[in-house]
Amino acid sequence: MTDAQQRIYSAIAAIPPGRVASYGAIAARAGLPGRARLVGRLLGEVPDDVELPWFRVLRASGHIAMPLGSRGFREQARRLKAEGVEVVNGRVPLSRFGLDADIDHALWGMPVG
């Protein structure tokens, strides 16, 4: 496994339950800003012996990247909802569930905005 793979997989593994992050945010946290597509590619190549919360990674808009209605789309939405993440029409409100969401919401559950 390359250094970039290890850093990206570590950043994904660090997303706590009930939170999500964009491909770009994962790349930045891995020290590879601007490499969102690399994150997406590597998620598709995860070795069988590596378990990652892949379903917590979304597009920058908060949308699930898989085609609407596909098996992968439904599985990702199901897993996110099981963790209490709101998914409406394939989109998660990053202001509430994003890894870098408002600190008051993160600590106290107060509505943002």
Side-chain angles (χ1 to χ4, degrees):
M1 189 178 302
T2 69
D3 179 59
Q5 284 173 307
Q6 288 177 338
R7 290 189 292 165
I8 287 170
Y9 292 158
S10 292
I12 293 168
I15 305 170
R19 291 290 192 190
V20 296
S22 69
Y23 293 94
I26 293 298
R29 285 176 180 264
L32 301 162
R35 303 294 310 270
R37 288 184 183 202
L38 175 62
V39 173
R41 192 189 85 209
L42 292 178
L43 270 174
E45 301 173 358
V46 177
D48 290 337
D49 62 336
V50 175
E51 282 203 36
L52 289 176
W54 59 270
F55 56 93
R56 295 180 188 144
V57 183
L58 305 168
R59 290 182 174 161
S61 64
H63 284 91
I64 292 174
M66 295 182 204
L68 182 66
S70 68
R71 182 175 168 212
F73 177 95
R74 290 190 312 268
E75 178 66 13
Q76 187 168 7
R78 183 191 69 75
R79 288 183 180 218
L80 289 169
K81 288 176 183 178
E83 291 188 349
V85 175
E86 179 183 329
V87 181
V88 178
N89 296 323
R91 184 175 180 275
V92 172
L94 296 178
S95 63
R96 291 186 47 220
F97 298 100
L99 197 56
D100 298 319
D102 181 83
I103 193 68
D104 285 336
H105 180 268
L107 293 175
W108 310 108
M110 299 170 72
V112 178

